[in-house]
Amino acid sequence: MSETVWMCPVCGEPLHEDGLSLRCVNRHNFDRARKGAVYLLPSNRKHSEIPGDNPDMVRARRDFLTKGYYAHLRETICAALTPGLGEGRVLLDAGCGEGYYTAGIHEMSPDTAVYGVDISKTAANFAAKADPAGRFAVASVFHLPVLDSACDAVVSIFAPYCGEEFLRVLKPGGLFVMAIPAPRHLWELKAAVYDQPYENEVKDYALEGFTFVEKHPAVRELSLENGEDIRNLFQMTPYAYRTGAKERERLAALTNLRVRAEFEVLVYRKENVHGI
């Protein structure tokens, strides 16, 4: 059996790979799905029958991202993570989605052991397909099935933030990289759909337990030449959850759009406690 940084979600013991299964010393067994992700989400941590992004949202995001529209963001994230990657290093993508960014990171640093978790079963399976050399699990970022101090780097890209868990799984001095939308990200799309568009709120950069290192802007003007790409872009945003019929009619009528994709990539270090 080979070692991993996975932790048994039942008893907290290390999980070891045994063929297509993960096992712990207490004989808890978790089989990897045919599509590649292992299910490490206990039923008492599911808040709905099908948690996370639904299959339509995951497919929309995959179809949009694979066309390279957000390649500038992926390149910026990879550059920011470089100090935490390399042979013998472990990276966790906490909320990996369909794996577009995870696969890009692993492609840049193939010697890094790359792990990813997402609460959406569809997304985790898509990620496993996008990066066959990575290790992926269905799990919540609020209860990461990852051993304490096991990761050299953690990345969070538009996923829920759980500082307590990120600090727990990071080694002292470990790298944390987070991508967030800038205030006027997708402003032109919102202006075309809503009567009163508003800017995204950017909160204070300070995070408890982390030292802020630097910010990297990632900005690009996109030219969307068909309605499908526009709808896929909209479907992968939080707006898709709370848009009325009138606004959806406006969205459906769009056949081309020039829109700025503006992000901030924030870099942090886990603070050492008592010199540890």
Side-chain angles (χ1 to χ4, degrees):
M1 293 193 294
S2 59
E3 294 185 358
T4 74
V5 304
W6 293 129
M7 178 179 71
C8 178
V10 178
C11 66
E13 292 292 331
L15 287 171
H16 302 276
E17 289 183 337
D18 185 6
L20 294 178
S21 298
L22 292 176
R23 306 177 193 276
C24 72
V25 294
N26 292 320
R27 299 183 180 180
H28 297 124
N29 183 79
F30 305 90
D31 293 327
R32 186 176 292 109
R34 178 176 57 85
K35 297 181 181 179
V38 62
Y39 199 90
L40 298 179
L41 181 67
S43 58
N44 63 352
R45 291 178 183 163
K46 292 174 60 175
H47 301 297
S48 64
E49 184 177 349
I50 305 177
D53 291 342
N54 63 50
D56 289 340
M57 294 184 70
V58 176
R59 291 189 189 95
R61 190 165 59 233
R62 177 201 60 186
D63 292 346
F64 183 85
L65 292 176
T66 53
K67 292 187 176 183
Y69 288 121
Y70 281 9
H72 65 301
L73 175 59
R74 185 163 78 167
E75 291 167 1
T76 304
I77 291 169
C78 286
L81 281 167
T82 298
L85 305 179
E87 187 174 359
R89 302 287 186 90
V90 174
L91 172 130
L92 172 68
D93 190 343
C96 63
E98 75 305 315
Y100 172 74
Y101 301 101
T102 329
I105 295 165
H106 212 177
E107 181 179 338
M108 180 193 71
S109 183
D111 293 332
T112 301
V114 170
Y115 290 74
V117 302
D118 201 280
I119 200 168
S120 165
K121 184 177 180 179
T122 300
N125 283 329
F126 274 37
K129 184 176 181 180
D131 181 14
R135 294 181 171 99
F136 295 91
V138 180
S140 167
V141 299
F142 295 99
H143 300 280
L144 290 168
V146 177
L147 298 169
D148 294 356
S149 302
C151 301
D152 297 278
V154 171
V155 62
S156 175
I157 306 168
F158 318 128
Y161 176 76
C162 185
E164 183 177 350
E165 278 293 86
F166 298 163
L167 288 167
R168 179 183 66 80
V169 303
L170 271 171
K171 296 176 181 178
L175 195 67
F176 174 59
V177 172
M178 177 168 57
I180 61 173
R184 292 182 68 84
H185 173 59
L186 302 184
W187 179 259
E188 296 82 0
L189 175 60
K190 291 192 286 187
V193 173
Y194 298 110
D195 291 328
Q196 296 180 319
Y198 56 88
E199 292 188 355
N200 300 310
E201 179 186 4
V202 176
K203 299 180 181 180
D204 186 86
Y205 293 155
L207 297 176
E208 185 176 357
F210 289 102
T211 298
F212 178 68
V213 178
E214 58 189 348
K215 176 184 76 173
H216 299 275
V219 181
R220 179 184 179 188
E221 185 175 85
L222 310 180
S223 180
L224 308 182
E225 305 294 342
N226 61 79
E228 180 182 12
D229 287 351
I230 296 171
R231 289 188 293 275
N232 283 342
L233 172 60
F234 189 85
Q235 187 71 14
M236 56 190 266
T237 70
Y239 320 130
Y241 289 108
R242 52 179 186 269
T243 298
K246 179 179 71 173
E247 290 80 11
R248 288 193 175 276
E249 287 180 6
R250 293 175 181 172
L251 176 67
L254 294 174
T255 57
N256 61 81
L257 181 71
R258 295 187 71 84
V259 58
R260 286 174 66 85
E262 303 185 23
F263 307 97
E264 294 181 357
V265 177
L266 310 178
V267 182
Y268 299 83
R269 287 276 183 189
K270 178 181 174 179
E271 295 174 354
N272 290 342
V273 180
H274 304 305
I276 296 176

